[in-house]
Amino acid sequence: MATIEFPHRVTTGRKESRAVRSLLALLHGTIAAVLWLPRFWLQRKQLAVLASMSTRELLDIGLNPCDIANALAQRNDQDPTVYLADVARERRLRKQA
């Protein structure tokens, strides 16, 4: 049975590419973690604006105060404004049907 030996350079290239991929994954995770906090605060700021609206204003855009409370109960990594947009869209479609 014959064995094929690869030059040292080829085998280390594979190891380097794994190391580079690992480093890039670590860098991506670090950047995502650093950028999460400003995105979180922006979403909460938008939610605070909605929470400061009167019941009549919320009804005009298809929401009610309970929807704001439900949006606040979402996980921190989920955008509560997306949830509210979905709720308003569902109500509008139900009214049309």
Side-chain angles (χ1 to χ4, degrees):
M1 179 180 238
T3 58
I4 301 173
E5 292 185 11
F6 291 100
H8 180 62
R9 185 175 173 192
V10 172
T11 57
T12 58
R14 285 184 178 171
K15 289 180 184 175
E16 287 175 358
S17 67
R18 284 186 197 144
V20 168
R21 278 184 274 165
S22 298
L23 184 61
L24 288 175
L26 179 65
L27 182 64
H28 175 68
T30 303
I31 290 172
V34 168
L35 294 179
W36 174 80
L37 190 59
R39 188 174 57 242
F40 172 78
W41 284 113
L42 177 66
Q43 293 166 355
R44 293 299 166 170
K45 189 176 174 183
Q46 293 169 344
L47 197 55
V49 170
L50 289 171
S52 69
M53 291 180 167
S54 69
T55 304
R56 184 68 207 155
E57 291 171 323
L58 289 172
L59 289 174
D60 285 343
I61 59 174
L63 298 172
N64 61 44
C66 293
D67 297 329
I68 304 298
N70 290 339
L72 283 169
Q74 297 288 317
R75 292 189 334 221
N76 288 338
D77 62 340
Q78 292 179 334
D79 187 358
T81 56
V82 171
Y83 167 77
L84 291 172
D86 289 342
V87 168
R89 186 179 314 109
E90 286 175 16
R91 285 200 183 123
R92 187 176 60 245
L93 291 175
R94 253 187 278 142
K95 279 185 178 182
Q96 291 174 354

